[in-house]
Amino acid sequence: MTVKVVFDRRLCWLLLELSNSDSYQPIKNLAQNMHCSRRSVEYDILRLNSILDELGLDKVKAVPSKGVLLSDKNKLWFNELTQDERLAYCLSLIIIGGHNYNTESLASLFHVSRATIFEDLRRVQDVVAAHEALLSYDRFYKYYIQATGKQYIDMLRIAADIMYESVPKEILQHILDKDVV
């Protein structure tokens, strides 16, 4: 039997909300932050627990009248996963350049601090410099890359590789075994 799991926007948002919290989060607050009903959050927690169980990770802890909490082990796993993905996404967004991203817009997009974005941009600069290109910004602090077409393509490949490599092997195996979308 094939199990199909969809990490939709709401499920990703729930993981983000839980990973950024050090205490139990009432479902009511999660529903308000996620702009959905309490029942939707409860349903998402059930889906998330099913996925975490399939991956051999701890389930979301739920305590009546307190709320829900993601284990420290799962927070660490999620933060490590998203750190590399953020680097790849930052690089991809700047390369594609469809929107003129600055530190504020990137921080808002990834729900992290500006200091975190500056660190990510240092890592992006390392990738860009390795391809003999230049990460620049204009007077409005919009980041862009000065490079040839081939250099852009090489950096997009690097971004794709980072995203692929950032996924823990057990999840990759789960995706291959279970046909996860």
Side-chain angles (χ1 to χ4, degrees), residues 124-163:
V124 166
Q125 175 60 43
D126 292 342
V127 172
V128 170
H131 288 85
E132 300 174 3
L134 181 63
L135 177 66
S136 299
Y137 59 90
D138 65 15
R139 63 189 173 105
F140 300 107
Y141 301 104
K142 308 280 196 254
Y143 289 90
Y144 63 96
I145 295 175
Q146 294 177 339
T148 66
K150 183 184 179 324
Q151 290 167 328
Y152 276 117
I153 291 169
D154 288 344
M155 285 183 278
L156 279 173
R157 284 189 184 131
I158 293 290
D161 288 344
I162 291 169
M163 281 191 265

Side-chain angles (χ1 to χ4, degrees), residues 34-163:
M34 294 168 55
H35 306 289
C36 63
S37 68
R38 286 177 50 99
R39 181 63 193 125
S40 293
V41 173
E42 291 167 354
Y43 174 71
D44 289 341
I45 291 169
L46 289 174
R47 289 191 309 143
L48 181 57
N49 277 337
S50 174
I51 294 166
L52 293 173
D53 190 44
E54 288 277 333
L55 297 173
L57 297 169
D58 300 333
K59 291 184 177 182
V60 174
K61 297 175 190 173
V63 176
S65 74
K66 269 184 115 174
V68 293
L69 179 71
L70 197 62
S71 73
D72 289 337
K73 176 183 165 186
N74 287 3
K75 285 180 193 175
L76 181 63
W77 162 79
F78 182 73
N79 288 333
E80 287 174 357
L81 178 66
T82 56
Q83 179 181 12
D84 285 341
E85 285 183 350
R86 253 192 352 262
L87 169 64
Y89 285 131
C90 277
L91 180 58
S92 301
L93 290 171
I94 293 168
I95 290 169
I96 294 165
H99 297 82
N100 290 322
Y101 291 100
N102 59 23
T103 52
E104 295 293 330
S105 59
L106 289 169
S108 175
L109 181 67
F110 296 122
H111 303 288
V112 295
S113 69
R114 286 185 51 199
T116 300
I117 290 299
F118 281 123
E119 182 59 35
D120 289 345
L121 287 171
R122 280 189 213 98
R123 294 171 66 209
V124 166
Q125 175 60 43
D126 292 342
V127 172
V128 170
H131 288 85
E132 300 174 3
L134 181 63
L135 177 66
S136 299
Y137 59 90
D138 65 15
R139 63 189 173 105
F140 300 107
Y141 301 104
K142 308 280 196 254
Y143 289 90
Y144 63 96
I145 295 175
Q146 294 177 339
T148 66
K150 183 184 179 324
Q151 290 167 328
Y152 276 117
I153 291 169
D154 288 344
M155 285 183 278
L156 279 173
R157 284 189 184 131
I158 293 290
D161 288 344
I162 291 169
M163 281 191 265

